[in-house]
Amino acid sequence: MCIVLSNINIKGGIGKTIGNATMAEILAKCNKKVLIIDNDPQCNMTGLFGMMMDQEHYTVKDLYMCPQEELSEYAKEMVYPTNYENIHMIVSEPGHRDTISYVEQLRDCDTRSILANAINYLKEDYDYIIIDKNPSADILATNVLVACDEVIAPVEMDGFSYQGLTNLFLEVQNITANGDLNPFLNFRGIYMVKVERYTNLFRQLYKAYKDQLGEFFLQTTIRKSIRVAECSANSKPLLHYRKRSNALEDYILLLSELGYITEEQTQHLLSDHATSKEFRCNQNLE
């Protein structure tokens, strides 16, 4: 069964794209078929995978502008293979920002469900569909929430990204409360990113978030890593940019906590990609 998921937060620059991309890489390495949909006009995901297209190729903008009755015929034509095994993509373009005004003028369909309707024609070919969401609360963002089965939210070590969660919770509640949209949307939880674990600030915020969020607080944290900035600058996703990094190790543990990979897969991935001594020692013992 295909699972549609996304990292979401209203605040930009928090690492949603890197999170989505790295999760896709890890799942693909576990022989899962993954489709990434870049739903952000900033095209960061498209650029990260070196997939910027010319005007003759389909983009996610075409998916929104395709007449609903023709989606079954054209949806799969909008998918392109990447240079990475088991990962396909529907790319974005800067012109995707114009999609908002176009969609808002439509009257012959529920504009909140366009993406979900298209994804229904794609699910049979994939184990996971990961959507990269734009950092705003517009009709494109609503389409992501309506299309997803599960969402998780990264939060930084500051008050600003945490404040953005209030609006996020309201969005999710609005979607699930409407039985015609996505009543079964599963909010899996919140996890901390760009952390420096040996600081007092981290310890204080970790305890505060855990106390306030309860079951919605994920235990795994993603450490701050220069490799994340480097891979973005070099248009190469994290796992394929550097075999071992703190952030990559942490994303493996996050996927394990979420249940997307098995314990056996987790141990195998950590032996290949971990930086922590405990995992490197396990590898040497073997």
Side-chain angles (χ1 to χ4, degrees):
M1 182 181 71
C2 178
I3 297 176
V4 184
L5 62 95
S6 182
N7 281 268
I8 57 175
N9 195 309
I10 302 298
K11 184 178 183 292
I14 198 173
K16 297 184 294 295
T17 297
I18 287 294
N20 285 325
T22 306
M23 290 172 67
E25 287 186 284
I26 294 169
L27 291 167
K29 188 165 184 182
C30 293
N31 293 318
K32 301 298 183 182
K33 301 294 184 183
V34 182
L35 171 64
I36 299 174
I37 300 177
D38 189 352
N39 196 54
D40 189 346
Q42 296 181 88
C43 311
N44 291 333
M45 181 69 79
T46 300
L48 183 64
F49 279 80
M51 293 287 290
M52 295 302 291
M53 298 289 190
D54 56 45
Q55 293 184 352
E56 296 181 359
H57 289 80
Y58 289 121
T59 71
V60 71
K61 180 180 179 180
D62 297 299
L63 184 149
Y64 279 89
M65 293 189 172
C66 180
Q68 292 291 289
E69 64 272 14
E70 297 179 12
L71 273 175
S72 60
E73 180 179 354
Y74 290 107
K76 292 187 179 183
E77 292 187 24
M78 300 178 188
V79 176
Y80 296 97
T82 69
N83 293 323
Y84 305 98
E85 188 177 4
N86 293 329
I87 300 178
H88 291 174
M89 184 180 291
I90 295 178
V91 302
S92 188
E93 59 167 297
H96 186 35
R97 61 175 56 90
D98 300 329
T99 305
I100 298 173
S101 58
Y102 171 82
V103 168
E104 289 175 342
Q105 295 175 29
L106 293 176
R107 296 292 180 267
D108 58 347
C109 67
D110 188 338
T111 57
R112 299 166 296 180
S113 303
I114 295 175
L115 185 58
N117 292 339
I119 284 176
N120 284 334
Y121 298 111
L122 302 170
K123 284 183 175 181
E124 64 182 2
D125 295 328
Y126 299 98
D127 299 299
Y128 289 89
I129 296 177
I130 299 178
I131 310 173
D132 201 40
K133 175 185 174 294
N134 53 316
S136 59
D138 54 29
I139 190 63
L140 298 182
T142 300
N143 266 265
V144 174
L145 292 177
V146 174
C148 279
D149 299 310
E150 303 180 356
V151 293
I152 55 177
V155 59
E156 283 186 286
M157 291 175 50
D158 59 37
F160 299 109
S161 57
Y162 184 77
Q163 291 168 11
L165 293 176
T166 302
N167 291 332
L168 177 60
F169 283 134
L170 289 175
E171 279 192 86
V172 172
Q173 288 174 358
N174 289 336
I175 297 297
T176 55
N178 189 326
D180 295 328
L181 289 177
N182 191 359
F184 302 110
L185 175 61
N186 185 4
F187 186 81
R188 296 295 306 275
I190 291 158
Y191 65 101
M192 297 177 67
V193 297
K194 303 180 184 180
V195 306
E196 298 175 271
R197 293 177 181 168
Y198 300 105
T199 64
N200 289 331
L201 176 61
F202 166 72
R203 286 188 284 268
Q204 292 169 3
L205 287 176
Y206 187 92
K207 183 179 185 305
Y209 288 166
K210 186 175 182 179
D211 291 343
Q212 293 176 34
L213 297 169
E215 62 178 337
F216 291 113
F217 182 72
L218 297 169
Q219 304 297 307
T220 305
T221 61
I222 310 299
R223 282 168 287 178
K224 188 175 183 179
S225 173
I226 188 61
R227 303 305 177 206
V228 171
E230 288 176 353
C231 76
S232 299
N234 287 276
S235 298
K236 200 167 187 178
L238 184 61
L239 186 150
H240 290 86
Y241 174 74
R242 184 61 63 93
K243 183 177 180 180
R244 297 183 186 274
S245 69
N246 291 340
L248 179 55
E249 175 185 318
D250 297 338
Y251 277 113
I252 293 169
L253 293 171
L254 177 64
L255 286 182
S256 179
E257 181 178 356
L258 290 165
Y260 293 147
I261 56 177
T262 66
E263 180 62 26
E264 182 179 355
Q265 290 169 330
T266 301
Q267 294 306 316
H268 178 73
L269 288 162
L270 289 173
S271 70
D272 284 345
H273 302 291
T275 56
S276 297
K277 289 182 179 180
E278 58 183 299
F279 301 121
R280 302 291 291 271
C281 289
N282 287 342
Q283 179 190 28
N284 291 335
L285 287 173
E286 292 175 1

